[in-house]
């Protein structure tokens, strides 16, 4: 599985989000490649899931990959809950 | 043989690769992750170097054009490009940068553990820029590599824990909690701007009650914003310079076509450079974080700008727009000094000008956000022009670029001051004493609050 975390520059917020996601996946025992990218490069990539801050919603509109938008990036519970829901959905 | 080994180990890219290797080994990662992380760090630095030479190539004809058109030296302030170019052209600066980054971060962890400043600075590119700036300053002042690394690392670590503490009172207002901090080398600039915003603002009128155009959000895409702004700057300059100035540079190509291609080439260089930054930070930051969280329980991560965007998107836009106006005012003011004229930094405007808006809104509402953005734009240009002659860039073959971040400028200007007064050690001891006093004061204050 490949997950991309996205922010404007591709090494600030996206990297923080990547680390949160890495921790959650490790806890759930799921192997996945998580990489941090900027909005521009994310469009050309073929990943399973894109995760980004809610303010990037319009910038990523055209991408046809499952997306999770986080409203409060400092809220680890929101990230975990949303990722958890996604993982359950694909397992069904 | 030994000499060959020493030679390869001290190539900047390899040194930073070893730093990553160490971090990954300390975290007991799997072999595949260790190999991948180390290689990607090394490649990241090499790509960064390639990006910086692309920027310099596309910038050199522009410097001539700007000079001829306005009889001024215009420079583009991009910290990453300045440090990348320095690391690339002087091996000693490259080595010192890697070591200051490593030991400076370790100092940050130790200070977070021992003092009441429980902040772990995690904005990787800012840590790297500060490390590079310190290496550059000490090298320029003729300090030996060893001493440069020792003093550089201690200053690096102290700055990394102090900056988040400066902005934390405002961050608490914005986020409503004390869980995260702001980790950026623009802290003094945005905090000072926010206070100006408070003085002239009105806290009752929150910026988030007005509607803002969604259209401006494409500025978040670095590729688009850098290209557009550089295109405008290049074309205006070319029109003022005229074909007779540009034709000898363009080798027969139409002068407007030439300028357009150069503007886009500059943007391409920035993208390549950022790709390099992305690659090595993607490996090094998680490695560092793993170590930090193990050693300092209850540490607060000091994070990058966009963490705060969702709290006040309107203030972000106001801050961005008004910081651009502030930068244009700053450009005009800078022409008075006869040094260089910093061109508006669009990345700085969007990201950190936006933060100035958000901080300003927290302190003084809508008007506070506008005034804070405007003030910040001036802070992002005028000091750049004043600071430029203090340390050499052109002697290292770096032309057309300037160093931008306000906190970095303050630190380097202080170092220069104490060296000029010929009392660098007294300056260093004063720094340590001030830090100890501050941490005692901070401890008292936090224990009163809780």
């Amino acid at each position: 599985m490949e997950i991309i975390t996205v922010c404007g520059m591709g090494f600030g917020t996206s990297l923080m989000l990547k680390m949160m996601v890495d921790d959650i996946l490790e806890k759930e025992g799921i192997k996945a490649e998580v990489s941090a990218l900027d909005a521009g490069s994310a469009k050309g990539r073929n990943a399973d899931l894109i995760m980004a801050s809610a303010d990037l919603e319009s910038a990523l509109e055209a991408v046809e990959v499952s997306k999770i938008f986080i409203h409060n990036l400092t809220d680890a519970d929101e990230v975990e809950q949303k990722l958890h829901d996604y993982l359950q959905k694909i397992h069904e | 043989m030994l000499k060959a080994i020493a030679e390869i180990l001290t190539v900047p890219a390899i040194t930073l690769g070893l730093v990553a290797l160490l971090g990954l080994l300390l975290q007991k990662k799997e072999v595949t992750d260790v190999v991948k992380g180390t290689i990607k760090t090394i490649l990241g630095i090499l790509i960064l170097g390639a990006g910086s030479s692309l920027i310099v190539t596309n910038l050199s004809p522009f410097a001539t054009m700007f000079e001829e058109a306005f009889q001024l030296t215009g420079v583009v302030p991009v910290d990453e490009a300045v440090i990348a170019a320095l690391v690339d052209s002087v091996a000693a600066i490259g080595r010192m940068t890697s070591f200051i980054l490593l030991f400076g971060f370790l100092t940050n962890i130790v200070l977070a553990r021992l003092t009441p400043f429980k902040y772990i600075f995690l904005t990787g590119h800012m840590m790297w820029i500060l490390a590079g700036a310190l290496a550059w300053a000490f090298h320029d002042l003729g300090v030996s590599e060893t001493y440069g690394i020792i003093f550089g690392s201690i200053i690096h670590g102290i700055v990394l824990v102090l900056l988040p503490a400066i902005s934390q009172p405002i961050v608490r207002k914005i986020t409503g909690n004390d869980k995260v901090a702001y980790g950026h080398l623009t802290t003094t600039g945005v905090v000072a701007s926010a206070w100006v915003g408070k003085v002239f603002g009105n806290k009752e009128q929150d910026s988030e009650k007005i509607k803002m155009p969604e259209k401006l959000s494409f500025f978040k895409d670095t590729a688009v914003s850098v290209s557009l702004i550089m295109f405008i700057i290049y074309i205006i300059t070319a029109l003022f310079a005229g074909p007779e100035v540009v034709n000898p540079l363009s080798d027969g190509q139409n002068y407007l076509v030439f300028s357009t291609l150069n503007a886009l080439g500059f943007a391409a260089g920035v993208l390549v450079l950022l790709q390099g930054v992305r690659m090595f930070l993607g490996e090094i930051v998680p490695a560092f974080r793993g170590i930090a969280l193990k050693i300092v329980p209850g540490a607060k991560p000091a994070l990058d700008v966009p963490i705060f965007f969702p709290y006040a998107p309107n203030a972000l836009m106001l801050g961005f727009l008004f910081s651009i106006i502030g930068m244009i005012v700053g450009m005009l003011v800078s022409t008075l000094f006869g040094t260089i004229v910093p061109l508006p930094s669009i990345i700085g405007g969007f990201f950190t000008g936006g933060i100035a808006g958000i901080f300003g809104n927290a302190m003084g509402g809508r008007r506070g956000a506008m005034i804070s953005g405007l003030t910040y734009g001036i802070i992002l240009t005028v000091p750049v022009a004043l600071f430029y002659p203090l340390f050499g860039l052109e002697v290292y073959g770096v032309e057309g670029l300037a160093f931008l971040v306000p906190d970095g400028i303050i630190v380097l200007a202080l170092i220069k001051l104490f060296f000029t007064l010929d009392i660098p050690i007294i300056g260093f001891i004063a720094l340590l004493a001030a830090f100890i006093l501050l941490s005692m004061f901070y401890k008292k204050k936090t224990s009163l609050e809780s």
Side-chain angles (χ1 to χ4, degrees):
Chain A
M1 189 157 91
E2 199 188 337
I3 300 175
I4 294 176
T5 58
V6 181
C7 71
M9 300 284 268
F11 48 67
T13 324
S14 55
L15 197 52
M16 308 302 156
L17 191 56
K18 169 195 148 60
M19 295 187 288
M20 282 167 102
V21 172
D22 274 335
D23 289 349
I24 297 166
L25 291 173
E26 200 183 306
K27 219 166 68 186
E28 304 228 350
I30 295 167
K31 273 231 178 276
E33 178 85 10
V34 188
S35 31
L37 280 181
D38 63 300
S41 330
K43 283 176 189 156
R45 285 284 280 270
N46 218 350
D48 298 288
L49 174 67
I50 287 181
M51 296 182 74
S53 147
D55 59 304
L56 280 174
E57 201 157 346
S58 58
L60 293 167
E61 218 163 32
V63 191
E64 286 182 15
V65 173
S66 303
K67 282 170 280 190
I68 294 179
F69 291 105
I70 310 294
H71 287 283
N72 184 355
L73 283 161
T74 59
D75 182 1
D77 294 333
E78 184 189 346
V79 179
E80 185 159 2
Q81 190 58 45
K82 286 187 169 163
L83 184 60
H84 189 81
D85 289 349
Y86 167 81
L87 292 169
Q88 261 189 345
K89 215 172 74 196
I90 57 165
H91 275 292
E92 274 164 15
Chain B
M1 185 61 203
L2 265 177
K3 198 166 164 263
I5 294 174
E7 211 170 285
I8 187 143
L9 291 184
T10 51
V11 172
I14 306 286
T15 321
L16 206 56
L18 292 174
V19 171
L21 178 70
L22 188 72
L24 293 163
L25 286 176
L26 279 174
Q27 280 200 95
K28 302 193 182 72
K29 288 272 182 194
E30 283 174 34
V31 182
T32 48
D33 285 339
V34 173
V35 174
K36 196 186 96 185
T38 310
I39 292 178
K40 280 178 97 171
T41 305
I42 295 171
L43 289 181
I45 299 288
L46 294 176
I47 292 172
L48 184 127
S52 93
S53 35
L54 198 54
I55 290 177
V56 173
T57 313
N58 284 289
L59 210 51
S60 54
F62 174 74
T64 317
M65 275 158 61
F66 194 87
E67 243 175 278
E68 293 285 330
F70 305 109
Q71 303 298 318
L72 295 166
T73 315
V75 296
V76 187
V78 193
D79 301 303
E80 285 90 343
V82 170
I83 304 299
L86 285 169
V87 163
D88 228 33
S89 63
V90 188
I93 295 183
R95 281 192 296 272
M96 286 162 81
T97 304
S98 304
F99 284 115
I100 294 176
L101 181 63
L102 172 66
F103 294 124
F105 181 73
L106 295 178
T107 312
N108 178 182
I109 298 176
V110 172
L111 293 177
R113 171 91 211 198
L114 298 178
T115 72
F117 301 108
K118 299 281 170 217
Y119 305 103
I120 304 285
F121 202 96
L122 287 175
T123 310
H125 58 300
M126 287 294 138
M127 291 160 69
W128 176 70
I129 287 168
L130 182 60
L134 288 164
W136 166 39
F138 285 126
H139 182 83
D140 207 61
L141 291 163
V143 176
S144 79
E145 233 177 287
T146 319
Y147 279 119
I149 291 171
I150 295 172
F151 291 114
S153 304
I154 296 173
I155 297 173
H156 193 261
I158 290 179
V159 172
L160 294 191
V161 290
L162 281 186
L163 290 180
I166 294 173
S167 53
Q168 198 60 8
I170 304 179
V171 168
R172 266 198 298 265
K173 268 192 194 142
I174 296 169
T175 61
N177 63 48
D178 208 6
K179 274 194 241 159
V180 291
Y182 179 58
H184 212 271
L185 293 177
T186 52
T187 304
T188 51
V190 290
V191 170
S193 305
W195 277 97
V196 177
K198 184 189 166 89
V199 172
F200 296 103
N202 176 6
K203 218 182 157 215
E204 303 307 311
Q205 295 197 307
D206 195 276
S207 65
E208 302 317 295
K209 288 179 191 140
I210 43 168
K211 278 248 172 278
M212 287 293 283
E214 164 82 347
K215 286 203 174 70
L216 282 170
S217 68
F218 73 94
F219 272 110
K220 264 174 250 174
D221 194 324
T222 319
V224 179
S225 56
V226 174
S227 305
L228 279 180
I229 295 297
M230 288 316 283
F231 172 73
I232 294 169
I233 291 176
Y234 268 78
I235 288 292
I236 292 176
T237 309
L239 287 172
F240 270 95
E244 23 341 306
V245 174
V246 186
N247 278 342
L249 303 165
S250 72
D251 214 11
Q253 201 170 33
N254 174 285
Y255 77 117
L256 293 178
V257 174
F258 174 76
S259 306
T260 308
L261 288 176
N262 266 285
L264 295 176
F266 176 89
V270 170
L271 291 185
V272 173
L273 180 117
L274 293 179
Q275 183 58 38
V277 174
R278 204 168 288 140
M279 215 158 157
F280 83 83
L281 284 182
E283 302 304 325
I284 265 198
V285 173
F288 275 178
R289 174 181 172 261
I291 301 168
L293 295 184
K294 258 179 218 156
I295 304 178
V296 192
K300 285 172 215 147
L303 303 173
D304 199 6
V305 177
I307 290 285
F308 303 98
F309 284 3
Y311 291 100
N314 289 338
L316 170 75
M317 284 303 158
L318 288 174
F320 169 50
L321 293 174
F322 278 83
S323 71
I324 300 284
I325 300 173
M327 284 187 228
I328 292 168
V329 174
M331 258 176 84
L332 298 177
V333 174
S334 301
T335 56
L336 302 175
F337 308 141
T339 51
I340 46 125
V341 178
L343 300 174
S345 155
I346 197 69
I347 307 181
F350 185 77
F351 286 94
T352 58
I355 281 292
I358 294 173
F359 276 36
N361 179 51
M363 300 289 274
R366 194 163 67 203
R367 203 172 343 135
M370 295 183 213
I371 291 164
S372 177
L374 186 78
T375 313
Y376 183 71
I378 296 169
I379 292 181
L380 219 48
T381 37
V382 175
V384 174
L386 289 173
F387 171 78
Y388 193 80
L390 285 192
F391 290 96
L393 267 180
E394 268 140 11
V395 287
Y396 304 116
V398 184
E399 276 182 48
L401 294 169
F403 190 60
L404 175 69
V405 282
D407 302 344
I409 286 181
I410 292 176
V411 171
L412 296 202
L414 282 176
I415 291 175
K416 179 78 180 188
L417 174 71
F418 284 107
F419 268 87
T420 314
L421 296 174
D422 221 10
I423 45 167
I425 294 301
I426 295 178
F428 185 72
I429 294 169
L431 169 77
L432 293 183
F435 179 71
I436 293 167
L437 280 175
L438 275 175
S439 50
M440 279 155 59
F441 174 72
Y442 200 74
K443 190 170 183 179
K444 214 163 139 195
K445 205 172 135 229
T446 31
S447 64
L448 278 177
E449 272 169 15
S450 55

